Amino acid sequence: MAPKEVAKRGLDVIFYYVLGDTLPYDNHYDNLMAARSWGFKISEHVRLLHSTEQVNEYISYWEKERKALPVATDGLVLKVNSLKQQLNLGFTAKSPRWAIAYKFPAERALTRLRYVSFEVGRMPDHPRFQPGTGIAVGYSGKTCIAAQSGYNATSRSTRT
């Protein structure tokens, strides 16, 4: 896309990791702070935590305060600070072993059930009913909910 067109969109970026061959520090946090001093946008909410208690306090704080953020968020990412330890821990096929995604408990909201529909699955050897629902549009936090699967935790474990 043309740079002039992109500029019209008012896009913004916040960096959460600094990658390079010659970084000024041997740890993630100090490199982020260096990038901030160079003019890059780094989240004001980045914290260096030193104990499990501090991690638990940070999680508890954001479970409540996340609703005040300008964007919806469903969790936090906790990272190992030492770049050497990050290198030693490595990656799985999908993600780094040195970062953990902590997901907040799912929000719950009430809405009006308008209808329930059932469709027969297309697997000829294993036909089954697949329930679906029509619900009144509602909001859970900043997320608009307009449809829902008819399955729940109980039915998932018993379906074939």
Side-chain angles (χ1 to χ4, degrees):
M1 182 174 285
K4 287 182 181 178
E5 184 63 31
V6 173
K8 291 180 192 175
R9 295 182 178 208
L11 300 176
D12 202 0
V13 64
I14 296 176
F15 291 88
Y16 291 90
Y17 195 79
V18 179
L19 184 63
D21 293 331
T22 55
L23 296 173
Y25 299 101
D26 64 354
N27 68 77
H28 174 68
Y29 182 81
D30 288 340
N31 285 319
L32 281 178
M33 296 306 105
R36 178 181 283 160
S37 74
W38 302 331
F40 290 97
K41 287 190 176 183
I42 307 297
S43 172
E44 64 189 80
H45 306 296
V46 170
R47 296 291 180 272
L48 181 60
L49 307 173
H50 300 282
S51 68
T52 306
E53 292 78 23
Q54 287 182 337
V55 170
N56 289 334
E57 289 170 7
Y58 194 69
I59 289 170
S60 294
Y61 174 82
W62 281 110
E63 282 179 337
K64 297 174 191 89
E65 294 300 317
R66 67 187 174 121
K67 293 172 181 67
L69 291 171
V71 295
T73 183
D74 64 351
L76 300 169
V77 177
L78 306 170
K79 300 175 187 175
V80 170
N81 191 40
S82 164
L83 297 183
K84 185 176 180 181
Q85 288 177 347
Q86 287 183 10
L87 186 63
N88 288 338
L89 289 166
F91 291 80
T92 67
K94 295 183 180 182
S95 59
R97 289 189 178 103
W98 45 265
I100 297 172
Y102 174 85
K103 297 296 182 186
F104 296 122
E107 292 187 33
R108 295 175 163 248
L110 295 176
T111 187
R112 184 178 308 257
L113 178 64
R114 300 227 167 155
Y115 64 85
V116 176
S117 64
F118 295 93
E119 298 176 13
V120 177
R122 295 187 179 204
M123 302 295 284
D125 297 340
H126 303 286
R128 64 177 173 182
F129 287 108
Q130 297 175 331
T133 61
I135 61 174
V137 174
Y139 288 87
S140 178
K142 294 180 175 79
T143 304
C144 176
I145 310 295
Q148 177 185 337
S149 163
Y151 291 115
N152 62 32
T154 305
S155 66
R156 243 184 254 131
S157 63
T158 59
R159 65 183 184 193
T160 57

